[in-house]
Amino acid sequence: DAKTTQPPSMDCAEGRAANLPCNHSTISGNEYVYWYRQIHSQGPQYIIHGLKNNETNEMASLIITEDRKSSTLILPHATLRDTAVYYCIVRGADSWGKLQFGAGTQVVVTP
Amino acid sequence: EAQVTQNPRYLITVTGKKLTVTCSQNMNHEYMSWYRQDPGLGLRQIYYSMNVEVTDKGDVPEGYKVSRKEKRNFPLILESPSPNQTSLYFCASSLRVGWARGTKNIQYFGAGTRLSVL
């Protein structure tokens, strides 16, 4: 699975969009980009995933660049409950098993 | 509701007293796994199971045992706990899926078990 790079932390004002970047320059053609988050000491929670097209669900949007070397997770209207560590993980579609969590991005949403 | 259930949520014990942390999932998932999370070290996999009666070591298996007698249950056993096993533990499960367009290789995690070994 390709390595990812994320900023260690970022702040966001409540009600504003939070844009979380992730670099994955060594991603290969069959690897997906997954996002999970972990609210303080709770179990990690799946947010969204994508291959090359932009994706949206009830939690977030995922924008993947055309060359697939980077992506951005967008929380459209951040709330205080979105304060968490966000993990960007790249893995093949036929990969399963251990998730390789990096350090992630600590997002703090402020009133 | 799809969920992974761990028990207990909190546990304080003493060195050497055997304990079991239970994990159960209701999604008919083949794959189950245990992680531990420690400050500065992130999430590390302890053991995993690809299906009933099939288990294997993860990155940090020393001091732990597991069993998979039923598909839904995957207990973590500490035969002789030591203080260095004080940690936050998570159980996870997922489908074991192969290549398919739009495959959702999603892992579902339990709420966690905070263990303190004195």
Side-chain angles (χ1 to χ4, degrees):
Chain A
D1 298 336
K3 184 178 176 182
T4 62
T5 303
Q6 300 177 251
S9 64
M10 62 182 298
D11 294 334
C12 178
E14 189 177 19
R16 295 294 188 101
N19 296 288
L20 284 64
C22 179
N23 285 319
H24 31 79
S25 58
T26 61
I27 193 170
S28 60
N30 69 345
E31 288 184 315
Y32 284 71
V33 179
Y34 287 81
W35 283 84
Y36 284 75
R37 74 179 182 183
Q38 185 176 22
I39 297 170
H40 180 64
S41 294
Q42 296 181 21
Q45 175 191 24
Y46 164 81
I47 301 173
I48 198 168
H49 78 288
L51 182 62
K52 53 185 176 182
N53 297 320
N54 298 339
E55 302 288 345
T56 296
N57 63 20
E58 65 279 2
M59 289 182 69
S61 295
L62 175 60
I63 308 297
I64 302 174
T65 58
E66 193 168 340
D67 63 6
R68 303 207 326 121
K69 293 184 185 300
S70 66
S71 59
T72 301
L73 178 75
I74 301 171
L75 308 176
H77 304 287
T79 70
L80 299 179
R81 289 177 293 182
D82 292 321
T83 293
V85 178
Y86 288 77
Y87 298 98
C88 171
I89 299 169
V90 170
R91 61 197 322 228
D94 56 353
S95 293
W96 53 275
K98 178 177 70 176
L99 280 172
Q100 197 68 48
F101 289 89
T105 297
Q106 172 68 64
V107 173
V108 176
V109 180
T110 55
Chain B
E1 180 189 354
Q3 58 185 1
V4 178
T5 304
Q6 295 178 229
N7 281 296
R9 293 290 315 281
Y10 302 91
L11 180 59
I12 301 174
T13 190
V14 296
T15 299
K17 186 176 181 181
K18 180 180 178 180
L19 66 91
T20 299
V21 183
T22 64
C23 175
S24 179
Q25 51 92 5
N26 63 358
M27 296 168 279
N28 201 36
H29 285 167
E30 297 94 341
Y31 178 86
M32 296 186 75
S33 174
W34 277 101
Y35 295 83
R36 62 178 287 175
Q37 186 172 32
D38 304 287
L41 297 176
L43 281 141
R44 296 178 292 168
Q45 189 182 55
I46 303 170
Y47 266 95
Y48 65 93
S49 169
M50 295 187 289
N51 215 323
V52 176
E53 301 292 1
V54 182
T55 63
D56 208 345
K57 297 176 181 178
D59 299 320
V60 289
E62 294 77 20
Y64 303 94
K65 284 176 57 177
V66 292
S67 69
R68 189 91 182 272
K69 293 182 169 52
E70 305 165 282
K71 199 171 188 180
R72 63 181 292 125
N73 296 323
F74 189 45
L76 179 70
I77 303 156
L78 285 72
E79 294 270 3
S80 183
S82 62
N84 65 9
Q85 293 177 299
T86 292
S87 187
L88 180 57
Y89 292 86
F90 293 104
C91 179
S93 74
S94 72
L95 289 170
R96 181 183 173 181
V97 296
W99 171 263
R101 183 182 175 88
T103 295
K104 285 191 176 183
N105 193 349
I106 300 167
Q107 286 202 13
Y108 296 83
F109 286 79
T113 296
R114 188 169 292 281
L115 172 65
S116 294
V117 183
L118 305 178

